[in-house]
Amino acid sequence: MNHKGTSASIIKAAEILFAEQGFAETTVRQITSKADVNLAAINYHFGSKKGLIQAVAEKFLTPLCTELTSMLEQRQSSTDAGQVTLDELLEILMRTLLVVNRDNVNALAVFMRLLELSYMQNQEELREFLVARYQDTLQPFILLLREDAAPMEDDEFFWRLHFLLGSITFTLSNFQTLHTIEKREYQRGAEVEKILHRMIPVLSAGLQARADKTYFCRV
Amino acid sequence: MNHKGTSASIIKAAEILFAEQGFAETTVRQITSKADVNLAAINYHFGSKKGLIQAVAEKFLTPLCTELTSMLEQRQSSTDAGQVTLDELLEILMRTLLVVNRDNVNALAVFMRLLELSYMQNQEELREFLVARYQDTLQPFILLLREDAAPMEDDEFFWRLHFLLGSITFTLSNFQTLHTIEKREYQRGAEVEKILHRMIPVLSAGLQARADKTYFCRV
Amino acid sequence: MNHKGTSASIIKAAEILFAEQGFAETTVRQITSKADVNLAAINYHFGSKKGLIQAVAEKFLTPLCTELTSMLEQRQSSTDAGQVTLDELLEILMRTLLVVNRDNVNALAVFMRLLELSYMQNQEELREFLVARYQDTLQPFILLLREDAAPMEDDEFFWRLHFLLGSITFTLSNFQTLHTIEKREYQRGAEVEKILHRMIPVLSAGLQARADKTYFCRV
Amino acid sequence: MNHKGTSASIIKAAEILFAEQGFAETTVRQITSKADVNLAAINYHFGSKKGLIQAVAEKFLTPLCTELTSMLEQRQSSTDAGQVTLDELLEILMRTLLVVNRDNVNALAVFMRLLELSYMQNQEELREFLVARYQDTLQPFILLLREDAAPMEDDEFFWRLHFLLGSITFTLSNFQTLHTIEKREYQRGAEVEKILHRMIPVLSAGLQARADKTYFCRV
DNA sequence: AATGAATGAGTATTCATTCAT
DNA sequence: CATGAATGAATACTCATTCAT
């Protein structure tokens, strides 16, 4: 097996296991065993387990950023003067995520786990890394979301964005589990594409909902 | 320190650490060290680390179930014939969650982490335990949600529920982190109560949004 | 085997192996295996391999400092006004080293290896630790040596002290080897006491030798 | 880079690292990395790490033996009938060591580390190799030392030789460290030549000191 | 002649758990 | 009732060496 083969099969195995179990719960033994490579191969190719996680992350961070930016520019130039609607913005987001998913069905789940992980209190380093990586790409997108959302304070919008983020990360991190449950309960299992599409009107409505000024006083 | 004292201080320390770091990332050494008790005390009092997690869970599962049922009954009886609105249902849910939070600010985060954990592929046991525990309590509540939601297929509703669940678990698991970011960025940090309240119109709108039948065909 | 037993047998085994092989070359597996205790016992009792080395060091650092100080004071008080001779000073030093050797024949070798190690370029930490530990005890002794040595510049004395230190550390670190060679070559093997005693006139003469001002110019 | 270039740069890098850190503590990765050659190059060119150490040793063993023999013969022939003095013998030794040091400032330190290593209990192989290599060259020199030393038993002389060896190996192995300390403490740092020269009267006096027959009985 | 890839045996350390008292 | 001591299995990682090309 040549270099690319070993390196690639490690990443492939890691994506599956990271998606299934999370990062900390997955051991390098499990990964090398599943990839059928030597135990030391991860350290040889990626320096450390952390290096492997970064390599897995890089694999979709780059195309994702590129894709989101290009899609956004394309849409803005094609729309004559008028504003891009909220549904269109969310569709762009979902299409971007599908690009990540195109090559590997687990990559998207790993990416979402990485996002979740970054919100843990002791993961400031990862958080800052992702912010530094995404800031420029996401900021314009978020501003457009804000324009189309219901009028609200900055902090209100901050929380709504994270309600939305929670829906996306939870659904996609645990897609396999949810897919399995759906098949068992309803004898049908939707593809990721469908689920992403289904999210659009829900998230759109959530962002456009009028903020309630009252504060637990009706009951 | 007597039995109750030891046991309680272990749970207290565990809640904080589980909320901050997650279950797998928290070691029994950290817990016993923080609780200032003997290393063997966790196994002595709770049988195992898993037993401790269950004990921590039980601490809020019971009052939570009781509260949700009683609130629901109270509301249904007080409303003359007419239907309970979606916002009212969600407010009941949020009030129920606040009950958990009343005693310990970390308990809610731990509960949410437990819910997240239960959706991992290799956590069927925990998932089944929670279903068995919650089924009877939640089923009536979910049916009421369904009545007030936009008309849709069963599987569509299944996914919408999980979009909603994602928003709640993500926001509350990572509340401390989000709270810290909000304070840094906007010079204000909202309390849990406020955030739960803010979620209501968003989730409500999400459930009531009309499902889009088209399927990525507009582009 | 009780605590003291395990802890002590680890230290005992470690002293032998450190003396024979050096610190880096000795593995925790070798130590625990020789001590017939669990592999994790070193980490349990001493925190780490480094912690074990420090424990081994502490075992003779304390009595050594105490002994040297008390012997020095005793000698100075007993000598009426007159100066303590160089041979007497060196004898005090050797007697002090024998105190370390009393309990364990390897302890002295380990101590000497530790001194040698402390002069490695990347062992500044250890060096500073030993200086901090010995400074107060050794400074008075060294000043007395200086008084009895031939008159010379400070830097000249600095190097002479290290010529002397080299003789002591080399001989005692490798005492077992030298002892074995001596037995093979001369059918007799001297005890440590004898060797320490033999060193006295040699080191004394070395310190009292007149410094040669010429500088490789006679040839 | 051609064979000779690769080989030479490996030896060069190895000398520096061996002198700084010792043999066991220096990894082939460090060496090849510093030499900027392929990781496998050491095994390719020298068979093994051990082979590299031997190659580094050979580099100064040969000139050192040649030099000592020729210097000794030259001196003996030039001295008419009379005996070569102890100081002259030691000066020959020091000049010989300087030859090793001429090409590479680290070579001498490496040589001394090798000598130290050879006295470790589990390094009989190296010890025998060095004896076989040096025996013929050193034996005449040692006999001359013996003639000029104070009259003493064979075993006494054996130990004195090793007191002397300790001074030399300790000082030169750790020359960089001692040099640094001297500069810091006394604002001056002597060159190797000066230190070797300074050692002569000290070692000379040590060898000529009258052996003390009493045995720790005066106190 | 040389090297990037790979490897098996090793390293110290950490883990939750158990045991004897 | 509680705990200090101990443990077996696991952790990530490093080592010098070898292999295929």
Side-chain angles (χ1 to χ4, degrees):
Chain A
M1 191 178 281
N2 59 13
H3 175 186
K4 212 169 179 182
T6 298
S7 199
S9 64
I10 288 173
I11 287 186
K12 198 173 159 189
E15 279 174 349
I16 296 169
L17 290 166
F18 286 158
E20 279 177 11
Q21 307 177 330
F23 302 104
E25 291 80 2
T26 301
T27 70
V28 297
R29 270 196 152 77
Q30 287 178 310
I31 298 168
T32 52
S33 179
K34 191 180 188 78
D36 198 29
V37 300
N38 185 274
L39 176 59
I42 285 179
N43 284 80
Y44 176 73
H45 286 284
F46 305 100
S48 67
K49 185 185 174 183
K50 205 171 183 175
L52 170 60
I53 294 175
Q54 283 184 353
V56 170
E58 283 295 338
K59 208 187 127 187
F60 41 71
L61 281 186
T62 312
L64 191 141
C65 285
T66 313
E67 191 69 14
L68 187 60
T69 306
S70 83
M71 275 199 172
L72 209 54
E73 286 172 352
Q74 185 188 332
R75 172 55 55 107
Q76 284 181 301
S77 64
S78 72
T79 311
D80 45 359
Q83 211 171 341
V84 185
T85 68
L86 188 48
D87 281 39
E88 283 171 331
L89 283 173
L90 290 170
E91 191 172 328
I92 285 173
L93 178 63
M94 299 309 172
R95 283 177 181 277
T96 306
L97 293 177
L98 278 176
V99 170
V100 174
N101 199 63
R102 193 174 298 154
D103 302 323
N104 190 327
V105 72
N106 296 294
L108 199 52
V110 175
F111 177 38
M112 292 299 151
R113 284 215 187 289
L114 203 68
L115 278 180
E116 288 178 333
L117 182 63
S118 76
Y119 278 89
M120 304 277 306
Q121 285 183 255
N122 54 358
Q123 295 285 349
E124 292 172 46
E125 197 187 358
L126 173 60
R127 207 152 56 234
E128 281 163 18
F129 165 74
L130 289 175
V131 167
R133 194 77 166 70
Y134 272 120
Q135 185 86 310
D136 295 343
T137 307
L138 282 181
Q139 207 56 42
F141 181 79
I142 290 171
L143 286 175
L144 288 173
L145 283 183
R146 176 89 206 253
E147 285 176 23
D148 287 346
M152 63 186 85
E153 298 290 317
D154 278 0
D155 59 326
E156 169 91 29
F157 185 70
F158 165 83
W159 285 98
R160 291 228 184 165
L161 264 185
H162 285 98
F163 299 158
L164 175 152
L165 187 57
S167 292
I168 297 174
T169 56
F170 181 83
T171 310
L172 297 180
S173 297
N174 306 305
F175 181 75
Q176 277 304 325
T177 303
L178 292 168
H179 186 79
T180 306
I181 296 174
E182 190 193 13
K183 274 204 290 195
R184 197 185 59 225
E185 301 285 323
Y186 308 103
Q187 285 74 45
R188 71 175 82 175
E191 297 308 305
V192 175
E193 289 84 351
K194 176 133 197 217
I195 302 312
L196 286 172
H197 188 247
R198 271 177 171 166
M199 241 186 268
I200 295 174
V202 177
L203 301 181
S204 176
L207 283 174
Q208 287 178 326
R210 198 174 61 83
D212 188 354
K213 297 293 182 190
T214 64
Y215 185 26
F216 280 112
C217 58
R218 284 164 301 170
V219 183
Chain B
M1 190 177 283
N2 58 16
H3 181 157
K4 206 168 180 181
T6 300
S7 207
S9 62
I10 287 173
I11 287 185
K12 199 174 159 191
E15 279 175 349
I16 296 169
L17 290 166
F18 287 157
E20 278 178 11
Q21 306 176 334
F23 301 104
E25 292 80 3
T26 302
T27 69
V28 296
R29 269 198 144 77
Q30 286 179 310
I31 298 168
T32 53
S33 179
K34 191 180 187 82
D36 198 29
V37 300
N38 185 272
L39 174 60
I42 287 178
N43 286 81
Y44 179 73
H45 286 285
F46 305 100
S48 67
K49 184 184 175 183
K50 205 170 184 175
L52 170 60
I53 294 174
Q54 283 184 353
V56 170
E58 283 295 337
K59 209 187 126 190
F60 43 71
L61 282 187
T62 312
L64 191 142
C65 286
T66 315
E67 190 70 13
L68 187 59
T69 306
S70 84
M71 274 198 172
L72 209 54
E73 285 172 352
Q74 184 188 332
R75 171 54 54 109
Q76 283 181 302
S77 65
S78 73
T79 311
D80 45 358
Q83 212 173 340
V84 186
T85 70
L86 188 48
D87 280 40
E88 282 171 332
L89 282 173
L90 290 170
E91 191 170 329
I92 285 173
L93 178 64
M94 299 307 172
R95 282 177 182 278
T96 306
L97 293 177
L98 278 176
V99 170
V100 174
N101 198 63
R102 194 174 296 154
D103 303 323
N104 189 327
V105 73
N106 296 294
L108 198 51
V110 175
F111 177 38
M112 292 298 152
R113 283 210 189 292
L114 203 68
L115 277 180
E116 287 179 333
L117 182 63
S118 74
Y119 278 90
M120 305 274 308
Q121 286 183 253
N122 55 357
Q123 294 286 348
E124 292 172 46
E125 196 188 1
L126 172 60
R127 206 153 54 236
E128 280 163 18
F129 166 74
L130 288 175
V131 166
R133 194 77 167 72
Y134 271 120
Q135 185 85 314
D136 295 343
T137 308
L138 281 181
Q139 207 55 42
F141 180 79
I142 289 171
L143 287 175
L144 288 173
L145 283 183
R146 177 87 206 253
E147 285 177 23
D148 286 347
M152 61 186 88
E153 299 290 320
D154 278 0
D155 58 328
E156 169 92 29
F157 184 71
F158 167 82
W159 285 98
R160 291 228 183 166
L161 264 185
H162 286 99
F163 299 158
L164 175 151
L165 187 57
S167 291
I168 297 174
T169 56
F170 181 83
T171 310
L172 297 180
S173 299
N174 305 305
F175 181 75
Q176 276 304 325
T177 303
L178 292 168
H179 186 79
T180 305
I181 295 174
E182 189 193 13
K183 272 205 292 196
R184 198 185 59 227
E185 302 284 323
Y186 307 103
Q187 285 75 46
R188 71 175 81 175
E191 297 308 306
V192 175
E193 290 85 353
K194 176 135 196 214
I195 301 314
L196 286 173
H197 188 247
R198 272 180 170 163
M199 242 186 268
I200 295 173
V202 177
L203 302 182
S204 176
L207 283 174
Q208 288 180 323
R210 197 174 61 82
D212 188 355
K213 297 292 180 188
T214 64
Y215 184 27
F216 280 114
C217 58
R218 285 164 302 169
V219 182
Chain C
M1 190 179 283
N2 58 13
H3 176 185
K4 213 169 179 181
T6 299
S7 200
S9 63
I10 288 173
I11 287 186
K12 198 173 159 192
E15 279 173 350
I16 296 169
L17 290 166
F18 286 158
E20 278 177 11
Q21 307 176 332
F23 302 103
E25 292 80 2
T26 302
T27 70
V28 297
R29 271 195 151 78
Q30 287 178 309
I31 298 168
T32 52
S33 179
K34 190 180 188 81
D36 199 29
V37 299
N38 184 273
L39 175 59
I42 286 179
N43 285 79
Y44 176 74
H45 286 285
F46 306 100
S48 66
K49 183 183 174 183
K50 204 171 182 176
L52 171 59
I53 294 174
Q54 282 185 353
V56 170
E58 284 294 338
K59 208 187 127 188
F60 42 70
L61 282 186
T62 312
L64 191 143
C65 285
T66 313
E67 191 70 15
L68 186 60
T69 305
S70 84
M71 274 198 172
L72 209 55
E73 285 171 354
Q74 185 188 332
R75 173 56 54 109
Q76 284 180 301
S77 64
S78 72
T79 311
D80 43 0
Q83 210 171 342
V84 184
T85 68
L86 188 49
D87 281 41
E88 283 171 331
L89 283 174
L90 290 170
E91 192 171 328
I92 285 173
L93 179 62
M94 298 310 172
R95 282 177 181 278
T96 306
L97 293 177
L98 279 176
V99 169
V100 173
N101 199 63
R102 194 173 297 153
D103 302 322
N104 190 327
V105 72
N106 296 293
L108 199 51
V110 175
F111 176 36
M112 291 299 152
R113 284 213 188 289
L114 203 68
L115 279 181
E116 287 177 334
L117 183 63
S118 74
Y119 278 89
M120 304 275 309
Q121 285 183 254
N122 53 358
Q123 294 285 350
E124 292 173 46
E125 196 187 0
L126 173 59
R127 207 151 58 233
E128 282 163 17
F129 165 74
L130 288 175
V131 168
R133 194 79 165 71
Y134 272 121
Q135 186 87 309
D136 295 343
T137 307
L138 282 181
Q139 207 57 40
F141 180 78
I142 289 171
L143 286 175
L144 288 172
L145 282 184
R146 177 88 206 253
E147 284 176 24
D148 287 346
M152 64 185 86
E153 299 289 320
D154 277 359
D155 58 326
E156 170 92 29
F157 184 71
F158 166 83
W159 285 99
R160 291 227 184 165
L161 265 184
H162 285 98
F163 299 158
L164 176 151
L165 187 58
S167 291
I168 298 174
T169 57
F170 180 83
T171 311
L172 297 180
S173 297
N174 305 304
F175 181 75
Q176 277 305 324
T177 303
L178 292 168
H179 186 79
T180 305
I181 295 174
E182 189 194 12
K183 273 204 291 195
R184 196 185 60 226
E185 301 283 323
Y186 309 102
Q187 285 76 45
R188 70 175 80 176
E191 296 309 304
V192 175
E193 290 85 352
K194 177 137 197 213
I195 303 312
L196 287 172
H197 188 247
R198 272 176 170 166
M199 243 186 267
I200 296 174
V202 177
L203 301 181
S204 176
L207 283 174
Q208 287 179 324
R210 197 174 61 83
D212 188 354
K213 296 294 182 187
T214 64
Y215 185 25
F216 280 112
C217 58
R218 284 164 304 171
V219 183
Chain D
M1 190 178 281
N2 58 16
H3 181 159
K4 208 168 181 183
T6 299
S7 205
S9 62
I10 287 173
I11 287 186
K12 199 174 158 191
E15 279 174 349
I16 296 170
L17 290 166
F18 286 157
E20 278 177 11
Q21 307 176 331
F23 302 104
E25 291 80 2
T26 301
T27 69
V28 297
R29 269 198 144 77
Q30 287 178 309
I31 298 168
T32 52
S33 179
K34 190 181 188 80
D36 199 28
V37 300
N38 185 274
L39 174 60
I42 287 178
N43 286 79
Y44 179 73
H45 286 286
F46 305 100
S48 68
K49 184 184 175 182
K50 206 170 184 176
L52 170 61
I53 294 174
Q54 283 184 352
V56 170
E58 283 295 338
K59 208 186 126 188
F60 42 71
L61 282 187
T62 312
L64 192 141
C65 286
T66 315
E67 190 71 13
L68 187 60
T69 306
S70 83
M71 273 198 172
L72 210 55
E73 285 171 352
Q74 184 189 334
R75 172 51 55 108
Q76 284 181 301
S77 63
S78 73
T79 311
D80 43 0
Q83 210 172 340
V84 186
T85 69
L86 188 48
D87 281 40
E88 282 171 333
L89 282 174
L90 290 170
E91 191 170 328
I92 285 172
L93 178 63
M94 298 309 172
R95 282 177 182 278
T96 306
L97 293 178
L98 278 175
V99 170
V100 174
N101 198 63
R102 194 173 297 154
D103 302 323
N104 189 326
V105 73
N106 296 296
L108 198 52
V110 175
F111 177 38
M112 292 298 152
R113 284 211 188 292
L114 202 68
L115 277 180
E116 288 178 332
L117 181 64
S118 74
Y119 279 89
M120 305 274 307
Q121 286 183 252
N122 55 357
Q123 295 285 349
E124 293 172 45
E125 196 187 1
L126 172 60
R127 206 152 56 233
E128 282 163 17
F129 166 74
L130 288 176
V131 167
R133 193 78 166 70
Y134 272 120
Q135 185 86 313
D136 295 343
T137 308
L138 282 181
Q139 207 55 42
F141 181 79
I142 290 171
L143 286 174
L144 290 172
L145 282 183
R146 176 90 205 252
E147 285 176 24
D148 287 346
M152 62 185 87
E153 299 291 319
D154 278 0
D155 59 327
E156 169 93 28
F157 184 71
F158 166 82
W159 285 98
R160 290 231 183 163
L161 266 184
H162 285 98
F163 298 159
L164 176 151
L165 187 57
S167 291
I168 297 175
T169 56
F170 181 83
T171 311
L172 297 180
S173 298
N174 304 305
F175 181 74
Q176 276 305 324
T177 303
L178 292 167
H179 186 79
T180 305
I181 295 174
E182 190 193 12
K183 274 204 292 197
R184 197 185 60 226
E185 301 284 323
Y186 308 103
Q187 285 74 46
R188 70 176 81 175
E191 297 307 306
V192 176
E193 289 85 353
K194 177 134 195 215
I195 302 314
L196 286 173
H197 188 247
R198 270 177 171 166
M199 241 186 269
I200 295 174
V202 177
L203 302 181
S204 175
L207 284 174
Q208 289 179 323
R210 197 173 62 81
D212 188 355
K213 297 292 182 188
T214 64
Y215 184 26
F216 280 113
C217 59
R218 285 164 302 170
V219 183

